[in-house]
Amino acid sequence: MSRTLKNNPRFGLMVASSLLLHLTIYALIYQYNKLQRANYSQEQTYYVDLVNLPVARPRSGASASEKASPPASSTARQVVTLPDKSPKKIATPLATKKPPKVKPASETGEELSKQMAKLQKRVEEKHTSSALDTIRNKAGSGRTGMPGGKGDQAGSDYASYVKSRLEDAFYSPMVYKGKKPEVKLLLRISRYGKIDFRIEQSSRDILFDAAVRRAIDMARENLKAPPDGEDFEHPFVFRPEGVKKK
Amino acid sequence: MAIFAVTGLVVKLVLLVLIFFSVVSWAIIFYKFLQVHRANRESIRFMDFFWKTKRFDAINEQLDRFGHSPLAVLFSEGYIEMKKLLGKGVQKEEAEIISTELGGIDNIARALRRATTSEIARLEKYLTFLATTGSTAPFIGLFGTVWGIMTSFKAIGETGSASLAVVAPGIAEALIATAIGLVAAIPAVIGYNHFQHKIRVLIGEMDSFSTEYLNVVQRTFSRK
């Protein structure tokens, strides 16, 4: 019997061969994946940052959400209202003042067209001035909702900015205990950008509270320090629908 | 790969077990392939040599050439037993006579049967591992998948988002366990069935050789 055992192939050698085979297959799959990844043309994704959308009066200190009305729409409104005013201006002198000297029809038509031209010019001037204002505001540091915003009300722009960042990071759990869970917390951001928070009112739902904590942790990575060099402190309310400033 | 790195501890353990099963299965497949292939090849050569050579002692001297053949082992065992009986006969001054009445042929038959059994055991060694891998690896993989899906659903529940982009990666990570379970099981089952068939053929050859051997012994020594 010893002869047969001696002639058996070495099992250790076979294990080594098998290992080599597995490593080779692994390497092949790895290389294949790498090649596929290299050939895969990834199109650049563009994100629209709602916080940075243009605002009518960024320097006034109002938040982006409160006063967000693009310049184009405001001018459009002006254009729409103009025809209402212009006939008044034209109509009143005609109605109240003494009857003017009778002019030929061609003269009155010329006057009317002149007045219309004046009004149009005025509208265009207004339009240009409002557009220039918008450009000036944008060019300056005072972009509403940006961490560099300088509103008159201390920290009002920055609060909107923080709120939007928290909203982006907050994912409400699919299931929660109560009907309307709510977490009230006081968020404090130091002038150096250190973020701290205190939960003032818990939702008594572990998952919901954890989601709020996670949102703050996620937002922590993107949040910038307050622009005015002062500590920022603001209460926020987290609900399943989203985040609100208190 | 990245998909392996992101899986949980339990799934990782399952994957490691399955990889171990796969490595050992392939080692057994290689081992058995060599063993059975050599046994077949050398058995054919041995049978040719056996029928061409008339003398048992001449065959016995050349047995080293057929080291991998189970038939050569059978011949060797039978020859040793026959020699013992012949030696006993010499002592009794009845040289070269193997009496069937005294159970001499039975002794050789028993020796051949014992050798056949041990050769079958040698040929079937490690095959049970292939059978075990074939039958259990898919279930182990399935366990890993179920566990992975459970944990991924838990994570989805915590984040609150149930979009395809959130659900799909977790399930893909979990399904890799089933995939590797099948990768380990399929070659094991194929190898097991293949080698079982080959070994069954060899067993048949061993049985017929034993009968032939006994016939030759009886013809050669009973006449004298």
Side-chain angles (χ1 to χ4, degrees):
Chain A
M1 288 306 107
S2 60
R3 186 164 57 85
T4 57
L5 288 172
K6 206 162 57 186
N7 288 328
N8 278 342
R10 284 178 192 169
F11 190 69
L13 196 75
M14 299 301 141
V15 172
S17 316
S18 173
L19 256 174
L20 199 73
L21 176 86
H22 279 77
L23 286 173
T24 313
I25 290 168
Y26 175 82
L28 281 172
I29 294 169
Y30 184 76
Q31 281 298 321
Y32 177 74
N33 282 348
K34 215 174 164 185
L35 275 173
Q36 263 200 334
R37 228 175 291 144
N39 291 336
Y40 179 66
S41 61
Q42 199 173 11
E43 283 182 17
Q44 201 175 352
T45 314
Y46 294 97
Y47 294 98
V48 177
D49 193 351
L50 291 172
V51 176
N52 295 334
L53 280 174
V55 181
R57 297 268 182 271
R59 281 179 190 279
S60 68
S63 68
S65 56
E66 285 163 0
K67 283 205 168 181
S69 54
S73 64
S74 65
T75 51
R77 206 181 299 137
Q78 283 174 348
V79 171
V80 171
T81 51
L82 271 170
D84 296 331
K85 287 178 181 175
S86 56
K88 269 186 187 173
K89 280 181 181 175
I90 299 160
T92 44
L94 285 172
T96 53
K97 284 180 181 176
K98 291 172 188 172
K101 292 169 189 173
V102 180
K103 286 177 183 177
S106 60
E107 274 185 27
T108 51
E110 272 176 23
E111 270 185 17
L112 198 69
S113 62
K114 270 181 189 175
Q115 277 191 342
M116 281 298 289
K118 270 183 186 176
L119 281 168
Q120 262 187 340
K121 201 178 175 184
R122 214 178 292 163
V123 168
E124 274 172 16
E125 274 172 6
K126 272 188 179 180
H127 192 166
T128 326
S129 68
S130 71
L132 279 170
D133 273 350
T134 315
I135 292 163
R136 264 187 225 115
N137 290 335
K138 274 192 177 180
S141 61
R143 286 177 74 189
T144 305
M146 286 292 285
K150 288 175 182 172
D152 296 328
Q153 294 169 332
S156 58
D157 288 345
Y158 189 70
S160 299
Y161 161 75
V162 172
K163 182 198 152 227
S164 76
R165 284 285 171 267
L166 288 174
E167 237 167 4
D168 285 348
F170 179 61
Y171 286 98
S172 171
M174 288 168 89
V175 185
Y176 32 81
K177 274 183 184 173
K179 274 189 176 177
K180 283 183 180 177
E182 193 178 81
V183 172
K184 286 178 186 170
L185 60 83
L186 188 72
L187 189 78
R188 194 179 296 119
I189 304 173
S190 76
R191 71 193 78 168
Y192 308 109
K194 196 187 170 190
I195 296 162
D196 192 20
F197 69 94
R198 191 178 72 234
I199 293 179
E200 291 184 326
Q201 187 193 310
S202 165
S203 66
R204 293 179 182 179
D205 184 341
I206 300 166
L207 282 179
F208 194 82
D209 285 3
V212 171
R213 281 197 191 90
R214 200 165 35 249
I216 293 166
D217 282 343
M218 280 170 78
R220 203 187 290 264
E221 293 164 12
N222 300 322
L223 276 172
K224 288 177 184 174
D228 46 9
E230 286 178 14
D231 291 353
F232 169 84
E233 199 175 82
H234 202 283
F236 289 95
V237 182
F238 286 76
R239 287 181 187 140
E241 306 91 69
V243 186
K244 280 187 181 175
K245 290 191 288 180
K246 205 175 171 183
Chain B
M1 278 185 280
I3 206 156
F4 181 79
V6 293
T7 51
L9 183 71
V10 176
V11 181
K12 266 186 192 136
L13 274 173
V14 166
L15 290 178
L16 283 175
V17 169
L18 289 173
I19 289 166
F20 168 77
F21 268 101
S22 180
V23 168
V24 177
S25 293
W26 275 100
I28 291 169
I29 289 167
F30 290 149
Y31 177 85
K32 283 287 149 192
F33 179 79
L34 274 179
Q35 192 187 34
V36 172
H37 181 71
R38 281 176 185 172
N40 267 327
R41 195 183 55 196
E42 292 190 5
S43 291
I44 294 165
R45 279 175 51 216
F46 176 76
M47 285 306 283
D48 283 347
F49 182 70
F50 179 79
W51 290 117
K52 277 177 193 166
T53 315
K54 303 281 179 182
R55 292 175 62 82
F56 275 24
D57 51 351
I59 296 169
N60 191 48
E61 277 170 17
Q62 297 290 318
L63 275 184
D64 287 341
R65 284 168 55 200
F66 313 102
H68 298 290
S69 169
L71 304 185
V73 177
L74 254 66
F75 176 85
S76 170
E77 289 294 314
Y79 185 75
I80 290 164
E81 190 59 35
M82 196 176 72
K83 272 285 202 191
K84 279 179 190 168
L85 288 170
L86 285 173
K88 214 171 155 187
V90 169
Q91 277 179 357
K92 288 182 177 179
E93 295 174 359
E94 288 171 4
E96 294 183 348
I97 295 169
I98 299 169
S99 166
T100 49
E101 285 168 15
L102 290 170
I105 286 291
D106 287 346
N107 275 12
I108 295 169
R110 273 196 294 274
L112 288 174
R113 214 174 300 133
R114 198 182 61 235
T116 306
T117 313
S118 71
E119 279 304 294
I120 291 169
R122 184 176 72 90
L123 288 168
E124 284 185 342
K125 197 178 174 188
Y126 303 131
L127 273 187
T128 43
F129 189 88
L130 285 186
T132 309
T133 304
S135 55
T136 58
F139 292 113
I140 296 171
L142 197 65
F143 165 72
T145 297
V146 170
W147 190 274
I149 287 175
M150 267 163 59
T151 47
S152 83
F153 274 137
K154 202 175 159 193
I156 289 163
E158 280 170 9
T159 50
S161 177
S163 67
L164 196 64
V166 177
V167 178
I171 292 170
E173 283 156 29
L175 280 173
I176 197 172
T178 304
I180 292 184
L182 291 174
V183 164
I186 292 167
V189 172
I190 293 171
Y192 177 77
N193 288 333
H194 174 75
F195 295 124
Q196 273 288 52
H197 168 72
K198 291 274 177 191
I199 289 166
R200 221 175 291 136
V201 171
L202 277 171
I203 291 168
E205 279 177 17
M206 280 191 280
D207 282 340
S208 45
F209 176 75
S210 299
T211 318
E212 287 291 330
Y213 185 84
L214 285 173
N215 286 346
V216 171
V217 168
Q218 206 162 16
R219 275 202 304 268
T220 312
F221 295 99
S222 303
R223 271 180 308 186
K224 292 180 183 178

